[in-house]
Amino acid sequence: MERIEPESMVTIRYTMVSHLPDGTDKPRAEETTSFIYRVERQVPSLESALSGRRTGDQFIVHVPAEELYGDRDPALIREIPTEGLIKQRLREGQYYRQIRRSCLVSFKVLELRPDTVLADFNKPMAGIRVTLEVEVIAVRRAEKEEISAALEAEHKKSIGCG
């Protein structure tokens, strides 16, 4: 039985629970995926946990927000004037979007006030962390053609072509 090492073709089965910033959890259905370890990059916590594992190994990985969409930044919650905003689009709990001077202005409306809005400029997915329950289903040495194809696909992703 092979251990997972760089350029191993790895197949895992996992369940994922997203832990949302509001304190709720969102479980997802079980999934199976295959990839070439250390070629087709995964989140660092998962890659670290996979190192040296074998078929049949089961483990839990906690993936922090900074490895996914980033942490929530309280400094990005600001009170802004409503002047110049389209009033009909301002709804508490909804995202406001408007093109102004060729730039997209986007924020979540937290609270409407008489002349201002409490706006959250964090990215919508910021602050989400996940827990993965993982089982290693298969490990084998990846073939040269598989590695070459994966390297090419990763390169295309890195330059925005995939």
Side-chain angles (χ1 to χ4, degrees):
M1 187 180 338
E2 281 193 54
R3 288 187 178 273
I4 295 175
E5 58 185 46
E7 299 185 353
S8 293
M9 175 61 80
V10 177
T11 302
I12 61 172
R13 179 172 34 233
Y14 65 96
T15 57
M16 179 171 71
V17 177
S18 297
H19 308 288
L20 307 179
D22 67 4
T24 60
D25 291 340
K26 184 177 178 184
R28 289 185 46 183
E30 182 177 276
E31 295 186 41
T32 300
T33 189
S34 297
F35 54 89
I36 301 173
Y37 182 68
R38 297 284 188 201
V39 174
E40 296 172 289
R41 294 295 178 160
Q42 308 302 310
V43 292
S45 295
L46 178 60
E47 283 203 349
S48 178
L50 284 167
S51 181
R53 300 280 184 167
R54 296 176 185 263
T55 300
D57 284 355
Q58 296 180 13
F59 53 95
I60 294 175
V61 178
H62 300 283
V63 183
E66 59 266 14
E67 289 184 18
L68 299 169
Y69 306 104
D71 283 321
R72 291 187 56 73
D73 183 353
L76 293 177
I77 297 175
R78 300 192 175 123
E79 187 171 6
I80 60 172
T82 56
E83 183 180 328
L85 301 177
I86 301 168
K87 308 282 190 277
Q88 303 89 298
R89 293 187 189 171
L90 293 171
R91 293 193 180 94
E92 284 187 13
Q94 299 294 313
Y95 280 88
Y96 177 91
R97 290 179 180 84
Q98 178 182 352
I99 301 289
R100 295 188 66 177
R101 298 187 194 112
S102 302
C103 292
L104 175 65
V105 175
S106 177
F107 57 87
K108 184 173 184 178
V109 178
L110 299 179
E111 186 181 327
L112 289 172
R113 297 177 178 168
D115 296 319
T116 62
V117 174
L118 187 60
D120 184 350
F121 289 92
N122 281 287
K123 292 180 183 174
M125 303 291 275
I128 293 177
R129 56 190 175 76
V130 302
T131 299
L132 301 169
E133 290 186 30
V134 182
E135 180 181 4
V136 179
I137 302 300
V139 179
R140 67 171 172 79
R141 195 85 191 127
E143 297 175 14
K144 289 183 182 188
E145 298 79 22
E146 292 173 315
I147 295 168
S148 294
L151 286 169
E152 184 176 331
E154 288 294 304
H155 176 71
K156 285 182 180 178
K157 276 195 256 181
S158 73
I159 59 172
C161 297

